Amino acid sequence: MNPETREKLMGVSVATLATALYRRGLRHQVIQGVHPVGWKGANMVGPAFTLRYMPAREDRNTLAAFRDPEHPQRVAIETCPEGHVLVMDSRKQADAASAGDILITRLMKRGGAGVVTDGGFRDARTIAGLEIPAYHTRPSSPTNLTNNEAIAINDPIGCGDAPVFPGDIIVGDADCVIVIPADIADEIADEAVEMTAYEDFVVHQVKDGATIIGLYPCTKDEHQLAFKAWREAEGR
């Protein structure tokens, strides 16, 4: 992805991005139900590389399945490109883990930008201590083979009710994760930076006692002029 776009997305919130996408009619881009496994203090940003699970069939998903060098879960970890975010469609089920600390550590060492599942991780406390950003619904100790079979790599998926296409830009903050269609990521990043600057100005004004009427959203020229002066003073 464009390095400048990545840098801009590192400094904006998922909430702001959701509003920018809403303006374009995109209402379901936030991955529902996921949260950070130990907030790392900085946004997760990167193109999506996907893994899809399906319901497990008992004769196909014994522990022996992990001995297969072509097992899709293992292959996804070993082929996710550097700088990408591994996004897993776990059918919104945390009854069985999507992955554990060993696989996530391997993804981290290979240069993954992050990992997201709408299921759960085992060894969540250990994953929370890793440098790689990780998002899930809740800790889950049972192996993924219990309920899920990893079946497809880098196909379109649904994760937490959000559509995710390979290469879409994934952004996670301290709250949650959003999916930005790849073809509009640059313009969304630019718009979000502008929105963030104005929102920071609004917070400053409100803390000083200003009413939000006419200020947020801005409907008065006086606020635009004040924002311009504030931005120049702040060097933004």
Side-chain angles (χ1 to χ4, degrees):
M1 65 179 294
N2 184 335
E4 293 182 0
T5 297
R6 182 190 297 272
E7 185 64 25
K8 291 172 183 175
L9 293 173
M10 290 293 294
V12 299
S13 71
V14 167
T16 296
L17 292 168
T19 300
L21 290 168
Y22 181 81
R23 286 175 173 169
R24 288 162 174 77
L26 298 172
R27 303 185 178 200
H28 303 288
Q29 298 305 114
V30 172
I31 297 178
Q32 297 295 319
V34 306
H35 58 271
V37 188
W39 170 237
K40 304 301 188 280
N43 281 5
M44 172 185 71
V45 181
F49 184 82
T50 66
L51 174 65
R52 179 170 63 85
Y53 287 98
M54 65 175 285
R57 200 177 77 189
E58 288 80 359
D59 62 325
R60 291 175 54 90
N61 288 275
T62 67
L63 285 174
F66 284 150
R67 296 182 178 274
D68 181 1
E70 299 302 316
H71 188 277
Q73 184 201 43
R74 268 54 177 173
V75 173
I77 294 293
E78 294 291 345
T79 58
C80 180
E82 182 177 357
H84 283 56
V85 176
L86 178 60
V87 184
M88 292 183 274
D89 171 5
S90 292
R91 306 188 300 122
K92 297 191 291 184
Q93 287 196 357
D95 294 342
S98 303
D101 68 306
I102 293 175
L103 271 63
I104 303 307
T105 298
R106 175 60 179 161
L107 181 66
M108 178 184 72
K109 297 301 289 186
R110 294 193 62 257
V115 58
V116 183
T117 178
D118 59 2
F121 291 128
R122 66 197 309 187
D123 316 305
R125 182 175 180 180
T126 302
I127 293 172
L130 298 175
E131 295 178 3
I132 185 170
Y135 292 76
H136 74 168
T137 60
R138 63 173 173 82
S140 178
S141 293
T143 174
N144 68 287
L145 299 170
T146 308
N147 281 355
N148 290 332
E149 177 176 348
I151 199 67
I153 297 173
N154 221 28
D155 283 347
I157 63 170
C159 184
D161 295 324
V164 184
F165 291 85
D168 282 349
I169 304 304
I170 308 298
V171 181
D173 64 8
D175 292 333
C176 52
V177 179
I178 196 166
V179 184
I180 306 173
D183 60 335
I184 60 172
D186 293 347
E187 62 188 76
I188 289 293
D190 289 341
E191 183 174 330
V193 167
E194 293 302 306
M195 291 171 64
T196 298
Y198 187 73
E199 288 166 359
D200 289 347
F201 164 73
V202 168
V203 170
H204 181 268
Q205 295 295 102
V206 170
K207 285 182 176 179
D208 280 350
T211 176
I212 60 170
I213 305 302
L215 174 65
Y216 186 69
C218 184
T219 59
K220 294 184 177 180
D221 291 342
E222 63 187 83
H223 294 311
Q224 283 288 0
L225 293 172
F227 170 55
K228 182 179 179 180
W230 175 86
R231 197 171 193 181
E232 290 176 354
E234 294 290 318
R236 298 178 60 177

